[in-house]
Amino acid sequence: MTGRAGEDWSARTRHVAAALFFMTGAFALTKTGRDALYFQRDGLFDLPKAYMGIALLALPTAFGMLTLMRTVGPRRTRVAAPLLLAGALVAFWPIAEPGGGSTMTLFYMLVPLLFGVMFSLTWLLAADLLEGAPRLELARSYGLVGGASILGGVVGSGFARLICSRIEPEVLLLFGAGGLATAAVTSLVTQSRFPVRPLAPRQVARAPGLGDFRDVVRHPYSFLLLAVAMTAALVGILVEFQFYVAAATSGNDGRQNAGFFANFYLVLNGMALVVQLWIMPQVQRRIGVHGSLYILPLALVMGAGALFANASIFMRTVVRVAEGGLKSSIHRSNWEQAYLPLGRTLRAAAKLLVDGMGARLAEGAAAALVFLWIRSAMADRETLAGGTGWLTWVMFATGLAWLTLTT
């Protein structure tokens, strides 16, 4: 599509990309500060509890966001939710402290839960504004939006790396709050400038309800999305936990931890950006959206094989970078397009149920396994660092199941 209509798609893409850029930057800053504090002391031993808490809170969080959407509407929610979280980060900053414990574990849990539903809402804005675009334009737009999102992570983690030696980790939470507020303003401007394309005469634009969640489970396609997301989340949590074991047993203080995690997120997002801009367009042209969804699970099955041969800290970090980088680039952009066959209302319900709840429940199942292992087998930090071989076997088997469900 060319001319005025083509320019409109480009403008819509740029505005959505800007909103995701600021939100991902805020997430990188917040997560760096959170991880630097939590793993400075004994947070690793509370990590399985945090994972299980995330699973337990996933459903209330999804329904809380649903209630907010039904009360004020999806468009206002995209502005109100980031502002509320920004205020919570500012309020939490004075009481943040190193290590685990109930307060820090609750904070650890809320960061991915709340950011997760906000990312889903913002990606849904892309789906709403780009609905009806030609397929080639759609692929290009999703690639640009995904690239901007990853670039936000690069800028956020790079900024954290730049200042981490001069500030305490908790100050990063304030910068994260600023990024969230900017994302909210950007979403407000975007929605004001570009109204959603009108639905067909007999369709009704509304926020998803409880009945829509039942429809998601009953619908074969959306139920398959749920199954894929749950296996993907299970593999991801196993990869992440092995990486955190390596980080928590390094003996770093708070600022050193902030530098370590800032470096890690910078490399991860930098790799994702390179893949998004230069590799993903070629991949999509050659194997399409469906074929691209094989890349991440296949890479992690191969990564599990590498960990069987060499389970060093370096190799665990490499696997974690590959998992995070491919998830943020090739997998995320194509995964978001997998929702497009669903109707607008069912699509919103599916996003909340699949990404906001189903994935967290799978993470909770993995956390229960890790928690039982820590309680029964942990004697000291050396034992904790060296006894994770069984996690690799579970990761390998679940990766194969992920590949099967994708097929």
Side-chain angles (χ1 to χ4, degrees), residues 266-284:
L266 182 59
V267 172
L268 186 153
N269 287 295
M271 170 195 160
L273 184 62
V274 171
V275 172
Q276 180 79 10
L277 295 181
W278 284 283
I279 299 178
M280 194 187 78
Q282 301 294 330
V283 169
Q284 279 199 330

Side-chain angles (χ1 to χ4, degrees), residues 381-392:
R381 288 176 182 255
E382 286 73 25
T383 301
L384 186 62
T388 57
W390 69 274
L391 294 173
T392 305

Side-chain angles (χ1 to χ4, degrees), residues 122-386:
T122 309
W123 275 101
L124 277 174
L125 177 62
D128 290 346
L129 295 187
L130 297 173
E131 191 172 24
R135 176 161 291 277
L136 289 178
E137 183 70 34
L138 197 63
R140 187 190 73 85
S141 295
Y142 268 89
L144 291 175
V145 171
S149 176
I150 298 167
L151 182 61
V154 172
V155 173
S157 53
F159 181 71
R161 182 66 187 92
L162 187 66
I163 65 174
C164 66
S165 61
R166 295 187 289 273
I167 63 170
E168 295 303 321
E170 56 267 29
V171 179
L172 293 174
L173 305 183
L174 297 180
F175 289 104
L180 280 168
T182 308
V185 173
T186 305
S187 292
L188 177 63
V189 172
T190 301
Q191 294 177 146
S192 299
R193 181 173 178 182
F194 304 105
V196 175
R197 188 173 68 89
L199 293 169
R202 294 187 179 182
Q203 290 180 300
V204 178
R206 60 179 177 83
L210 296 179
D212 296 305
F213 281 92
R214 290 192 294 269
D215 292 340
V216 169
V217 177
R218 294 171 181 170
H219 194 287
Y221 182 74
S222 56
F223 182 78
L224 185 59
L225 291 177
L226 177 63
V228 171
M230 293 183 74
T231 53
L234 182 57
V235 174
I237 214 69
L238 296 176
V239 173
E240 183 179 81
F241 183 77
Q242 292 193 62
F243 168 73
Y244 280 144
V245 167
T249 55
S250 64
N252 290 338
D253 61 22
R255 295 190 180 188
Q256 290 172 329
N257 255 357
F260 172 80
F261 285 111
N263 284 334
F264 165 72
Y265 290 124
L266 182 59
V267 172
L268 186 153
N269 287 295
M271 170 195 160
L273 184 62
V274 171
V275 172
Q276 180 79 10
L277 295 181
W278 284 283
I279 299 178
M280 194 187 78
Q282 301 294 330
V283 169
Q284 279 199 330
R285 276 196 292 268
R286 295 187 180 184
I287 62 177
V289 172
H290 179 257
S292 300
L293 292 174
Y294 284 100
I295 293 176
L296 178 58
L298 184 60
L300 293 180
V301 168
M302 295 172 62
L307 289 176
F308 286 133
N310 178 12
S312 64
I313 293 177
F314 174 77
M315 185 56 67
R316 291 175 183 172
T317 305
V318 168
V319 173
R320 177 68 179 96
V321 168
E323 186 264 346
L326 291 175
K327 180 187 291 184
S328 300
S329 55
I330 290 178
H331 189 77
R332 184 62 186 259
S333 295
N334 288 285
W335 177 249
E336 294 298 330
Q337 293 180 68
Y339 286 94
L340 292 178
L342 300 173
R344 189 180 295 175
T345 300
L346 185 61
R347 184 192 307 152
K351 281 292 292 179
L352 285 175
L353 183 64
V354 172
D355 291 342
M357 188 185 72
R360 300 307 180 189
L361 291 175
E363 291 175 357
L369 292 175
V370 173
F371 178 74
L372 293 174
W373 167 63
I374 288 180
R375 291 290 299 269
S376 63
M378 184 194 69
D380 51 37
R381 288 176 182 255
E382 286 73 25
T383 301
L384 186 62

Side-chain angles (χ1 to χ4, degrees), residues 34 38 42-54 57 92 97 99-112:
R34 181 204 68 173
Y38 198 68
D42 57 351
L44 179 66
F45 304 103
D46 287 330
L47 184 58
K49 299 177 185 177
Y51 286 148
M52 289 187 286
I54 288 171
L57 290 176
F92 182 75
E97 58 184 15
S102 58
T103 301
M104 288 302 297
T105 298
L106 179 62
F107 177 67
Y108 186 98
M109 292 154 47
L110 290 177
V111 168

